[in-house]
Amino acid sequence: MDDLLREFLTETNESLDVVDVELVKFEQEPNNATILDNIFRLVHTIKGTCGFLGLPRLEALAHAAETLMGKFRDGAPVTQAAVSLILSSIDRIKGILADLEEAEGEEPAGSDEDLIKQLEYMSEHAFEQAGGAAGKAATETADDDAEGTASDDADAAAIKPIDQSLERELRPGEVSLDELERAFQETAIEIELPEPKPEPEPKAADVGALAADTKAAGDHHPEKAPGDKKSSVSNQSIRVNVETLEHLMTMVSELVLTRNQLLEIVRRHEDSEFKVPLQRLSNVTAELQEGVMKTRMQPIGNAWQKLPRVVRDLSQELDKPIELEMIGADTELDRQVLELIKDPLTHMVRNSADHGLEGPEDRKAAGKPEQGTITLAAYHEGGHIIIEVKDDGKGLDVDAIKRKAIQSGMHTEAELEKMTDAQIHKLIFGAGFSTAAKVTSVSGRGVGMDVVRNNIELIGGSVDLKSVPGKGTSFIIKIPLTLAIVSTLIVESSGDRFAIPQLSVVELVRVQNNSEHRIERIKDTPVLRLRNKLLPLLHLSSLLGMETVANADEALDQDNGFIVVMQVGSQTFGVVVDGVFHTEEIVVKPMSTMLRNISMFSGNTILGDGSVIMIIDPNGIASAMASHASSALAEQEEEHDERKKFVDHHATTSLLLFRAGSAEPKAVPLSLVTRLEEFQVSEIERSNGRDLVQYRGVLMPLVYIEPGQAHRTEGTQPMLVFSDSGRSMGLVVDEIVDIVEATLNIEVGSEVPGVLGSAIIKEKATEIIDLGHYLPMAFEDWFVRKEMASEALTKSLLFVDDSSFFRNMLTPVLKAAGYDVTVCDSARSAVQVLQSDRKFDVVVSDIEMPDINGFEFCEALRRDPRFRNIPVLALSSLVTPASIERGRQAGFDDYVAKFDRPGLIAALKDVLTNEARAAA
């Protein structure tokens, strides 16, 4: 059964029970407006919900009852017969609801016209004197003299005193009930003069009898045996005040603390007779804890309810057709967490709609459907909930982010050049950062993504993003299931114990002198070499300011301790601790107001032995690690500047030490290296007889130090990346050893290509690599391009050929040679392109073309002053002395055979070089 229908059955049954009680009260106190308003509101709600869910039978019945209740609100007298009729309607509704539940949501067939007609009749004659209609109907069936008897009964009924006073003053325009009653009596006397209606309607029946019949009709389903009776949906759930649940959760938390204390006592007394009962108590406590946690769980769809409306409004405001797709709405998480993520989710959806999705025209031009899609997905992963907000838009504009970062002073151009695209993407989380061109009601104020990240980190979560140009952007939010009770790792540092949430702990590493894991130093910064990966390290006591940096470094140099490898978002690092105790489920207690500004801690707790310890905040540790690395780098640069001032004759150089092809160490100046990268072996591709990888959207050739050297067959492959003027080369190495400051003094020269010579680096003979030897192996014109002006790096070429085969064959050849190629299938279309004010450096034209051949096309260009000086090359499958001469007369600069691709490239170089010399 649908959850919405299940909720409807529960609420409606509750409302009907209330209506039952209230109607009986109302019958005793017909002038109590409060009771009447409450009944009317409940019946109105039932009717509206039935209409929303598409239950026409229930809606019609509730509507008729609501109409009669409305007459009571307007001041009609309340009679026992009317109340009985409404109660009968309520019973009928209950019967239909029971059948609806049994049929799993299908409304049962049937008609309620009999009851609806009676309700409508009662509504139409509601202002007649109490019991008048019933007395009249009874007299007509008992005596042949219907006229006189009915009139006498009506008079008798009119004499009967009725309390029809209201409990409020009359509003402007209203008349008293006595005056209204008198008007109805006068009208009734005038109506009785004509003949009575020829055939009796159902309204003439005795109301009490019909109510009884209706009740009997409503109770048509047979009684079930007590053993067979199935509990209804409304009996499967109850409403509990949130404060009651919170109090229950607090009590369970205290029970967990007490359980931990008892278990701590048992640990100290191994042979205690309480061991077995305490184990049972521990299991029961765990089950109770799990049960109470379930009462706090709510589907994440509750936080998504308003998002379809938000997307609809944004779609109209931004003039973008947008579809919102929601996956995993039934994924459950703690109510407290749910409340805290509503606003961040709303902002991220708005951000995707405004910044992520393109307009319909841009999407159409990019080959996408005009309607953009924003996808919300939620799923469990370990003890976390993963929420993904994804769009199929244009992706993040790296260049725009760079410009904004430079403009706002966040980073320099040199710093941005060394960053990966993923690092540049994360700059959008900076305070006040916005790439919007103008401030609108949707975006542009720079207040948003930083607040989103802060709010998510406050609940122990993290946010990461992935963006692919032209494909879209995906935000991944990782949040804990609950904030009340968490599993932690208890560690010790400088004599104090701390709790680290296990959700952020990847693994524990024991570092010893003879172990495979070891602590190394790069530029005096400690790192852990873990499975060929280098992780930054910092001692926990140093992070918390409990020891000086010197003492912490001394502890690291002892090379003997525990390292907690943690991951926050995409950042992985190691925290060195003195000891590791055990894992324990703890109850999170909020920090004191005086300590909440300390970012390293997220709260505190009471351990089993009664001691109070602090809970480490992984996000605070990650931020401290990043700031520590930045300050260390600043100190080193300052040190380097000081040394440059005082040491002139022994200038040192930063060198990157590595091994490649052989065991001998090799070195290259660090200033030449753009980045140190590690690629998965599966990402290395083979094309055109050489190894390549896709790097930042372009193909990067791989170069090997020694002939015959090959990349690894599995795992990751380290590389040194060298970039200049938009081109990059990957130098394949076996191992990156260290970064050192040393005096570069080549003592022994070398005649080996690629090696400048040997120098003493770190007390070892080290080969100094000649990078100039390897760069042309990647691109032959690497150094030639440096001498060319930036605007001359790419020449624009117009290629005219009526044969699609030759167009498809030669266009890639020309593009690979570095030309920006525009293709036309006829001379006429080429003339139109040239006349559109587009500038071309050279034209390559076929000779054999219909309508206008190549000779006529070239002659037309030479007659036009605008195109007279553009070099034009002829391309033909027939190359004879006569055709070459004819081409020169027409004005071609050179004549090349179609199948001579090297000749075509050489001819292009010649004509463009001659043009450049002539211009000079």
Side-chain angles (χ1 to χ4, degrees):
M1 189 184 297
D2 184 65
D3 287 341
L4 194 60
L5 193 59
R6 191 184 300 276
E7 187 71 19
F8 161 73
L9 289 171
T10 303
E11 288 191 0
T12 304
N13 278 303
E14 289 176 1
S15 299
L16 291 175
D17 290 340
V18 174
V19 170
D20 269 347
V21 176
E22 294 288 293
L23 272 172
V24 175
K25 285 184 184 177
F26 181 60
E27 188 178 19
Q28 297 168 357
E29 302 177 52
N31 299 316
N32 192 326
T34 304
I35 298 176
L36 178 58
D37 287 342
N38 191 27
I39 297 171
F40 185 84
R41 185 176 63 254
L42 290 170
V43 175
H44 179 76
T45 302
I46 293 171
K47 183 200 78 169
T49 312
C50 290
F52 175 75
L53 292 174
L55 304 171
R57 185 179 171 190
L58 281 169
E59 182 187 9
L61 194 55
H63 175 68
E66 180 194 16
T67 303
L68 182 54
M69 295 300 303
K71 296 295 182 183
F72 294 158
R73 293 180 78 188
D74 294 338
V78 181
T79 64
Q80 182 179 359
V83 173
S84 298
L85 189 60
I86 295 176
L87 286 171
S88 299
S89 305
I90 299 302
D91 292 339
R92 178 74 64 87
I93 291 174
K94 286 182 179 178
I96 297 173
L97 288 175
D99 292 340
L100 182 71
E101 183 179 343
E102 287 182 5
E104 293 291 326
E106 291 291 331
E107 190 175 38
S111 174
D112 305 299
E113 283 300 316
D114 54 343
L115 192 54
I116 291 173
K117 282 184 179 179
Q118 187 62 29
L119 287 165
E120 289 175 349
Y121 172 76
M122 188 70 75
S123 300
E124 291 171 4
H125 299 79
F127 288 99
E128 294 182 2
Q129 51 277 65
K136 179 179 176 181
T139 308
E140 283 178 348
T141 55
D143 200 328
D144 291 335
D145 290 326
E147 264 186 304
T149 312
S151 179
D152 294 339
D153 288 345
D155 292 339
I159 296 170
K160 184 179 179 180
I162 299 172
D163 182 11
Q164 297 188 108
S165 61
L166 287 176
E167 293 183 345
R168 59 175 172 80
E169 295 182 0
L170 291 175
R171 299 190 182 99
E174 290 184 339
V175 295
S176 68
L177 291 177
D178 292 336
E179 293 177 5
L180 192 62
E181 182 65 28
R182 185 162 50 254
F184 269 104
Q185 287 176 6
E186 291 171 1
T187 306
I189 293 170
E190 292 174 2
I191 289 173
E192 284 179 0
L193 292 176
E195 290 291 327
K197 294 183 180 179
E199 55 182 16
E201 295 288 335
K203 61 189 178 185
D206 180 63
V207 174
L210 183 57
D213 293 341
T214 305
K215 189 174 187 308
D219 299 336
H220 61 279
H221 38 279
E223 290 292 328
K224 297 179 182 178
D228 297 337
K229 189 170 183 180
K230 181 182 175 182
S231 61
S232 66
V233 172
S234 58
N235 294 330
Q236 291 175 6
S237 61
I238 59 171
R239 296 181 184 274
V240 180
N241 195 304
V242 173
E243 291 182 1
T244 305
L245 289 179
E246 295 294 341
H247 179 69
L248 187 60
M249 189 70 220
T250 304
M251 291 298 99
V252 169
S253 301
E254 295 301 325
L255 180 60
V256 169
L257 289 177
T258 308
R259 187 268 314 263
N260 292 346
Q261 289 176 343
L262 292 172
L263 290 176
E264 185 68 27
I265 294 171
V266 170
R267 282 195 194 101
R268 295 197 295 265
H269 302 83
E270 286 293 331
D271 300 328
S272 173
E273 59 183 359
F274 298 111
K275 189 169 186 179
V276 175
L278 278 177
Q279 187 60 46
R280 175 63 184 153
L281 175 65
S282 177
N283 293 338
V284 171
T285 304
E287 290 177 11
L288 179 61
Q289 174 191 334
E290 185 179 352
V292 173
M293 291 300 295
K294 283 182 180 178
T295 64
R296 291 168 58 99
M297 293 296 180
Q298 289 185 347
I300 197 171
N302 292 357
W304 294 355
Q305 286 175 349
K306 64 178 181 179
L307 293 181
R309 170 68 186 274
V310 170
V311 170
R312 174 198 170 275
D313 293 346
L314 283 172
S315 178
Q316 294 184 347
E317 184 176 348
L318 301 172
D319 197 19
K320 299 178 183 178
I322 305 173
E323 177 189 7
L324 179 65
E325 183 179 346
M326 295 187 285
I327 303 169
D330 55 348
T331 305
E332 292 187 331
L333 74 164
D334 192 284
R335 184 188 64 83
Q336 186 181 359
V337 179
L338 193 71
E339 290 296 324
L340 291 171
I341 65 166
K342 280 184 180 178
D343 289 341
L345 279 179
T346 303
H347 182 85
M348 296 180 85
V349 168
R350 291 170 64 88
N351 195 69
S352 294
D354 187 29
H355 291 289
L357 296 177
E358 316 96 319
E361 294 299 325
D362 294 336
R363 290 182 65 85
K364 198 172 180 181
K368 299 180 181 179
E370 290 189 14
Q371 185 179 50
T373 303
I374 298 175
T375 304
L376 274 174
Y379 54 91
H380 287 278
E381 186 180 274
H384 281 99
I385 291 285
I386 306 296
I387 304 172
E388 188 172 3
V389 183
K390 182 171 60 175
D391 64 68
D392 63 346
K394 60 190 174 185
L396 293 179
D397 188 341
V398 175
D399 293 332
I401 297 174
K402 284 183 177 179
R403 286 195 298 272
K404 183 65 178 180
I406 295 171
Q407 179 185 342
S408 60
M410 291 173 63
H411 293 281
T412 64
E413 192 170 351
E415 290 172 342
L416 291 171
E417 188 63 32
K418 294 180 180 180
M419 291 184 180
T420 62
D421 285 351
Q423 290 172 322
I424 293 172
H425 290 161
K426 290 181 181 177
L427 295 179
I428 67 171
F429 292 111
F433 195 94
S434 176
T435 57
K438 59 181 180 179
V439 176
T440 66
S441 60
V442 181
S443 63
R445 301 185 186 277
V447 180
M449 295 310 293
D450 62 319
V451 177
V452 167
R453 186 181 64 175
N454 291 340
N455 286 351
I456 291 171
E457 288 181 352
L458 279 176
I459 58 176
S462 62
V463 58
D464 201 2
L465 70 91
K466 296 176 183 176
S467 181
V468 179
K471 298 293 183 183
T473 305
S474 175
F475 290 88
I476 298 100
I477 303 171
K478 192 175 184 181
I479 53 178
L481 272 174
T482 179
L483 305 180
I485 299 177
V486 295
S487 183
T488 58
L489 178 70
I490 309 299
V491 300
E492 184 183 28
S493 181
S494 298
D496 290 321
R497 286 181 292 176
F498 300 93
I500 301 177
Q502 270 191 282
L503 293 175
S504 300
V505 177
V506 179
E507 61 182 306
L508 285 174
V509 177
R510 179 70 186 270
V511 178
Q512 292 179 322
N513 295 326
N514 56 353
S515 69
E516 59 175 326
H517 310 301
R518 61 187 187 277
I519 296 176
E520 302 178 6
R521 288 186 176 273
I522 295 178
K523 278 196 171 184
D524 290 332
T525 302
V527 294
L528 171 67
R529 185 177 292 277
L530 182 65
R531 290 186 289 277
N532 292 324
K533 285 190 176 181
L534 296 177
L535 301 181
L537 288 182
L538 208 56
H539 207 286
L540 182 60
S541 57
S542 175
L543 281 168
L544 301 179
M546 300 166 66
E547 281 189 6
T548 61
V549 177
N551 292 339
D553 286 347
E554 187 179 334
L556 285 173
D557 288 335
Q558 292 176 1
D559 208 18
N560 188 7
F562 297 93
I563 297 177
V564 182
V565 179
M566 301 175 66
Q567 183 172 7
V568 177
S570 58
Q571 186 179 358
T572 306
F573 52 88
V575 176
V576 184
V577 297
D578 299 335
V580 175
F581 292 99
H582 55 270
T583 60
E584 186 170 320
E585 284 191 336
I586 62 170
V587 179
V588 180
K589 301 288 185 181
M591 292 276 286
S592 168
T593 318
M594 298 174 64
L595 302 176
R596 282 180 188 166
N597 61 334
I598 304 177
S599 61
M600 293 293 179
F601 304 116
S602 60
N604 48 56
T605 188
I606 305 172
L607 290 183
D609 58 3
S611 57
V612 178
I613 67 170
M614 305 299 288
I615 303 171
I616 298 293
D617 183 3
N619 291 298
I621 296 290
S623 302
M625 290 288 289
S627 61
H628 176 79
S630 302
S631 61
L633 185 61
E635 285 177 11
Q636 288 168 5
E637 288 179 354
E638 190 177 339
E639 246 177 67
H640 181 66
D641 292 341
E642 289 296 321
R643 282 202 301 267
K644 280 184 72 175
K645 287 180 184 177
F646 298 108
V647 186
D648 295 333
H649 56 287
H650 291 300
T652 58
T653 305
S654 294
L655 296 172
L656 175 67
L657 299 181
F658 63 93
R659 290 188 176 86
S662 60
E664 294 81 13
K666 297 175 174 59
V668 66
L670 184 62
S671 58
L672 298 177
V673 181
T674 304
R675 289 195 59 80
L676 306 179
E677 294 282 3
E678 278 193 349
F679 291 94
Q680 292 291 331
V681 172
S682 57
E683 295 177 3
I684 300 176
E685 304 174 59
R686 186 81 177 168
S687 178
N688 196 26
R690 63 193 309 183
D691 290 339
L692 308 163
V693 294
Q694 296 183 31
Y695 182 68
R696 297 192 175 186
V698 296
L699 288 172
M700 180 175 73
L702 305 186
V703 175
Y704 297 92
I705 293 285
E706 296 185 1
Q709 183 185 352
H711 61 76
R712 296 173 180 172
T713 56
E714 59 182 15
T716 57
Q717 176 65 59
M719 296 182 197
L720 311 183
V721 177
F722 302 90
S723 301
D724 190 28
S725 300
R727 287 183 172 181
S728 298
M729 176 196 81
L731 190 65
V732 179
V733 300
D734 297 333
E735 180 187 11
I736 297 172
V737 178
D738 202 352
I739 296 174
V740 297
E741 291 282 340
T743 303
L744 185 57
N745 183 17
I746 299 177
E747 300 183 11
V748 179
S750 172
E751 296 181 359
V752 178
V755 180
L756 292 173
S758 298
I760 299 175
I761 309 293
K762 291 188 71 174
E763 301 179 356
K764 286 187 178 181
T766 305
E767 295 178 358
I768 308 300
I769 296 300
D770 179 11
L771 192 60
H773 172 75
Y774 296 103
L775 293 176
M777 290 185 180
F779 298 98
E780 291 181 3
D781 60 343
W782 187 291
F783 296 109
V784 177
R785 286 166 58 89
K786 285 293 291 177
E787 297 171 2
M788 297 170 63
S790 59
E791 64 270 11
L793 290 177
T794 303
K795 295 290 186 180
S796 56
L797 183 149
L798 180 63
F799 180 29
V800 189
D801 197 323
D802 65 307
S803 169
S804 61
F805 173 78
F806 282 108
R807 289 201 306 270
N808 294 334
M809 183 181 74
L810 292 177
T811 299
V813 174
L814 295 169
K815 286 185 176 179
Y819 296 97
D820 181 11
V821 182
T822 301
V823 180
C824 293
D825 58 1
S826 67
R828 193 176 300 279
S829 62
V831 171
Q832 292 175 352
V833 170
L834 286 166
Q835 289 177 345
S836 65
D837 291 335
R838 289 188 58 183
K839 303 296 182 184
F840 290 96
D841 297 303
V842 64
V843 176
V844 177
S845 174
D846 183 23
I847 295 296
E848 298 85 9
M849 292 188 293
D851 195 7
I852 301 175
N853 62 34
F855 298 126
E856 295 168 342
F857 171 59
C858 186
E859 289 169 350
L861 293 181
R862 295 310 180 205
R863 286 195 298 269
D864 193 321
R866 294 173 297 173
F867 314 126
R868 184 177 297 161
N869 298 322
I870 298 178
V872 184
L873 270 69
L875 204 60
S876 176
S877 55
L878 180 65
V879 181
T880 62
S883 60
I884 293 174
E885 182 58 31
R886 173 76 176 90
R888 293 196 183 280
Q889 291 175 1
F892 282 109
D893 291 271
D894 207 341
Y895 202 101
V896 185
K898 276 190 176 181
F899 297 100
D900 186 10
R901 287 176 292 178
L904 173 61
I905 302 301
L908 284 168
K909 279 187 177 180
D910 287 343
V911 296
L912 289 172
T913 303
N914 292 336
E915 183 194 15
R917 286 173 182 167

